[in-house]
Amino acid sequence: MSAVSLSDVSVRYGRVRGLDGVSFAIEAGERVGLVGESGSGKSTLCRLLVGLRAATGGEVRILDRSIPDHLKADPSGFRRTVQLVMQDALASLSPRMRIRDLLAEAIKIHALPLEEAWDWIETLLGRLGLSPAILDRYPHEISGGQARRLAILRALLLKPRILVADEPTAGLDVSVQGGLLNLLIDIQQELSLTWLLISHDLRVIRRVTSRVIVMYLGQVVEESDTEALFRRPAHPYSTALLSVDASNAAERGARPIVLQGEIPSPVNPPSGCRFHTRCPVAKAQCRDKMPELQPLDGGRRVRCHYPYSLQFDQASTSTFAREASS
Ligand SMILES: Nc1ncnc2c1ncn2[C@@H]1O[C@H](COP(=O)(O)OP(=O)(O)O)[C@@H](O)[C@H]1O
Ligand SMILES: [Mg+2]
């Protein structure tokens, strides 16, 4: 039984295609990364997984039950099962309540055993490097770094089975971020958490995850074992995305591939392969026919007619996107 599985899921915002035909599964206890430029559908996917938004098509299953069924049968249980750490989690909190009262409220809403919950909060405070004195502060009285840690604490308070984290450590300085990520990995292992991590920082993705899903304009374009992807991406979009990663570029001695052109409109996505308008190696077929997400070696899947046709080594010689012409 997968912890999370999506089959042919789409989300429309009016005419905007937020997600289009997304399918993948995450097994229990896995740490999976989600990457892609802004607008590719990452946050939409997060909101979908925690039931904040419904799919317009297809089905999302959490622990082998569809989200609408979860919400019908046991909404509170479902909220405990899947927790989201948002980019700006504390902004949504009431500024008039002390942190202690905010946590007490969550304990009450979810009817957690009181003593056990406060013990767990104490443990988490210690492990997150937060002083218990923070409980008596108001949200505006804490620093950005403390707010990030508190958002993680709030999510872990409910001992979820699945954690969805949208840039949980963005904006923290590198050493703090490193410590926090190690800690999250420890807790993830202790609780056998399933963890979906979104980050623009590819070094974070490489360090934390064992598998990566790459998205472009609402579609999955590649799914791969993390190390295999960083060593040799199969989709030209992944190649370009990873070529700007400092750790990878240094390893490769390759120059970054800078994609030319705008991200196309999600109202009218390009025909054929959605990436063809910006792909340095697009051919005529790419304009005409949408590639399927096809299986490759080692459990990898890629949505490209010509996988591996753009390599890091070509970075210095590659030309920029041209209109595919025959
Ligand atoms: N509430 C909304 N209303 C209309 N369009 C939206 C809304 N939320 C997201 N979108 C659009 O859906 C697409 C995916 O957005 P999003 O999921 O936020 O991507 P990401 O998190 O990868 O930047 C974008 O084109 C975005 O403009
Ligand atoms: Mg986002």
Side-chain angles (χ1 to χ4, degrees):
M1 173 179 73
S2 302
V4 173
S5 81
L6 286 82
S7 47
D8 202 20
V9 168
S10 56
V11 171
R12 300 268 177 128
Y13 300 101
R15 291 167 60 227
V16 175
R17 297 163 185 238
L19 291 178
D20 220 354
V22 170
S23 303
F24 64 81
I26 304 178
E27 301 312 314
E30 253 196 308
R31 300 196 295 259
V32 174
L34 189 61
V35 299
E37 278 162 307
S38 140
S40 56
K42 305 181 300 296
S43 295
T44 298
L45 191 55
C46 291
R47 288 194 291 272
L48 197 66
L49 292 179
V50 296
L52 287 174
R53 181 162 279 281
T56 331
E59 188 182 51
V60 184
R61 296 180 81 79
I62 302 286
L63 301 170
D64 219 20
R65 190 187 238 183
S66 79
I67 292 185
D69 285 351
H70 274 291
L71 293 174
K72 216 180 298 165
D74 182 9
S76 164
F78 177 68
R79 307 248 178 262
R80 281 199 303 277
T81 302
V82 196
Q83 278 289 302
L84 172 63
V85 179
M86 279 190 280
Q87 268 168 295
D88 198 8
L90 286 187
S92 60
L93 295 180
S94 161
R96 290 160 186 279
M97 283 170 84
R98 289 179 204 271
I99 307 293
R100 183 190 302 284
D101 300 322
L102 291 167
L103 295 174
E105 194 180 55
I107 291 171
K108 194 167 161 209
I109 289 171
H110 292 282
L112 305 178
L114 259 186
E115 199 170 329
E116 204 182 305
W118 285 107
D119 282 351
W120 178 227
I121 287 174
E122 201 172 300
T123 304
L124 287 172
L125 284 171
R127 298 201 48 187
L128 290 165
L130 290 167
S131 152
I134 201 172
L135 296 176
D136 295 312
R137 306 246 164 82
Y138 289 93
H140 69 268
E141 293 176 325
I142 65 177
S143 72
Q146 289 172 326
R148 296 245 162 219
R149 277 177 267 193
L150 204 58
I152 292 168
L153 185 151
R154 267 180 101 225
L156 295 176
L157 168 61
L158 303 174
K159 295 201 175 159
R161 304 275 303 277
I162 299 162
L163 184 71
V164 182
D166 201 346
E167 299 273 4
T169 59
L172 299 179
D173 68 55
V174 176
S175 61
V176 175
Q177 174 170 291
L180 198 50
L181 288 170
N182 283 343
L183 176 79
L184 268 170
I185 292 172
D186 287 348
I187 295 177
Q188 179 264 337
Q189 287 174 337
E190 280 164 36
L191 301 181
S192 306
L193 264 178
T194 305
W195 183 6
L196 181 68
L197 172 67
I198 294 179
S199 178
H200 282 100
D201 189 332
L202 295 167
R203 284 162 305 183
V204 168
I205 293 288
R206 193 173 192 176
R207 171 152 161 209
V208 171
T209 69
S210 60
R211 204 149 59 85
V212 176
I213 293 164
V214 185
M215 299 201 44
Y216 184 76
L217 263 187
Q219 293 184 323
V220 173
V221 295
E222 183 161 6
E223 183 187 330
S224 166
D225 170 83
T226 303
E227 272 313 303
L229 181 78
F230 275 79
R231 276 199 295 272
R232 191 169 180 239
H235 197 288
Y237 177 66
S238 312
T239 308
L241 196 69
L242 298 190
S243 75
V244 303
D245 167 43
S247 63
N248 211 33
E251 203 173 282
R252 297 264 140 210
R255 286 203 290 172
I257 302 168
V258 181
L259 290 174
Q260 300 292 292
E262 301 285 308
I263 301 178
S265 156
V267 174
N268 270 317
S271 64
C273 171
R274 290 197 175 172
F275 185 56
H276 88 264
T277 57
R278 298 169 77 204
C279 180
V281 291
K283 300 184 187 9
Q285 179 181 208
C286 307
R287 186 189 48 198
D288 301 331
K289 188 169 168 248
M290 167 148 11
E292 299 291 325
L293 195 58
Q294 53 182 319
L296 286 183
D297 50 294
R300 193 189 290 234
R301 296 193 304 160
V302 61
R303 193 186 284 281
C304 177
H305 293 304
Y306 305 99
Y308 299 116
S309 59
L310 182 63
Q311 295 295 312
F312 290 133
D313 313 355
Q314 289 171 253
S316 49
T317 54
S318 78
T319 51
F320 295 137
R322 306 157 265 118
E323 252 316 282
S325 56
S326 43

